[in-house]
Amino acid sequence: EAAVTQSPRNKVTVTGGNVTLSCRQTNSHNYMYWYRQDTGHGLRLIHYSYGAGNLQIGDVPDGYKATRTTQEDFFLLLELASPSQTSLYFCASSGAGTGVPGQLYFGEGSKLTVL
Amino acid sequence: GDSVTQTEGPVTVSESESLIINCTYSATSIAYPNLFWYVRYPGEGLQLLLKVITAGQKGSSRGFEATYNKETTSFHLQKASVQESDSAVYYCALGNTGANTGKLTFGHGTILRVHP
């Protein structure tokens, strides 16, 4: 069973705070993604990666950094969090490996609130 | 750019009633888009419901079906008889073929509530 695990599941921080969202996949997938989901919007792609050390810019990258340390681990960093980054964040993976090739496998989401 | 528009929710139906969630797309950067429906049940991540990669074809899963209509640029999701367990958020999405098939354009999601 393809698996993507995110942590923390819920996070509250203040404006200007530093937040790291973590994602680990055990699917042996090469691609990993960070999306955000806001009311009235579809999921929007922040950053993605096709392997350890690689980072690609998505559609809404401003205010976010990301790092892919291993094939399994992909981190999203908010160094100066703002209320506009309050959102539900999803990590996903895809590629050859466990599961259906090319299909996206999502984590359960990380709800971030910036006060 | 590419975009997906789907039925505004929430959609509320009674168990055993029929369902249609509309989805239309605009694919300006992709000549032959793949079309998807993803579903998110409460407390879970999104999971693929069905996928169609060829215009004119129909996909089906768990009693749901959707037909890829290139003429009307639509990919409506239908089910003849819904169950309470179908209550979830449904997302229509489009993407490209090729290695990076996870780079999708999503609709805003449609909340479905099925009453017993």
Side-chain angles (χ1 to χ4, degrees):
Chain A
E1 177 78 18
V4 179
T5 305
Q6 296 181 227
S7 64
R9 297 289 309 279
N10 283 283
K11 175 74 175 178
V12 180
T13 190
V14 295
T15 300
N18 198 319
V19 176
T20 297
L21 303 181
S22 303
C23 178
R24 166 163 284 198
Q25 55 99 0
T26 58
N27 307 323
S28 301
H29 288 163
N30 49 342
Y31 283 94
M32 294 186 74
Y33 309 82
W34 278 107
Y35 283 90
R36 62 178 288 176
Q37 157 87 82
D38 303 293
T39 302
H41 291 277
L43 277 74
R44 293 180 289 175
L45 183 63
I46 304 170
H47 290 298
Y48 65 101
S49 166
Y50 57 72
N54 176 264
L55 180 65
Q56 302 293 315
I57 304 298
D59 299 321
V60 289
D62 292 346
Y64 300 96
K65 293 184 179 179
T67 179
R68 180 88 175 270
T69 54
T70 64
Q71 186 184 33
E72 294 78 20
D73 298 303
F74 194 31
F75 300 92
L76 186 67
L77 297 85
L78 293 74
E79 294 184 333
L80 288 171
S82 73
S84 65
Q85 294 176 307
T86 293
S87 188
L88 180 59
Y89 292 86
F90 287 103
C91 177
S93 71
S94 72
T98 305
V100 177
Q103 179 175 318
L104 266 180
Y105 291 86
F106 282 87
E108 295 175 333
S110 296
K111 184 177 179 182
L112 174 65
T113 302
V114 184
L115 302 174
Chain B
D2 303 328
S3 65
V4 174
T5 302
Q6 58 183 104
T7 300
E8 287 286 340
V11 172
T12 303
V13 297
S14 297
E15 207 164 25
S16 78
E17 287 187 346
S18 63
L19 169 73
I20 182 166
I21 299 176
N22 291 328
C23 172
T24 57
Y25 67 89
S26 172
T28 57
S29 68
I30 306 172
Y32 303 100
N34 296 344
L35 298 177
F36 306 82
W37 278 101
Y38 278 82
V39 58
R40 180 161 66 95
Y41 298 103
E44 299 182 13
L46 284 79
Q47 56 186 275
L48 181 66
L49 180 59
L50 56 88
K51 163 185 172 181
V52 180
I53 63 172
T54 304
Q57 298 296 307
K58 180 169 71 177
S60 60
S61 173
R62 309 180 205 176
F64 290 90
E65 55 184 38
T67 300
Y68 184 160
N69 189 320
K70 189 175 181 181
E71 287 68 38
T72 59
T73 63
S74 66
F75 191 55
H76 306 320
L77 183 69
Q78 302 182 74
K79 189 172 187 181
S81 176
V82 297
Q83 302 171 346
E84 193 176 0
S85 59
D86 293 326
S87 297
V89 184
Y90 292 81
Y91 299 87
C92 184
L94 68 87
N96 208 342
T97 53
N100 191 4
T101 54
K103 195 170 179 294
L104 302 183
T105 298
F106 284 87
H108 53 67
T110 300
I111 297 172
L112 173 64
R113 296 179 180 146
V114 180
H115 292 298

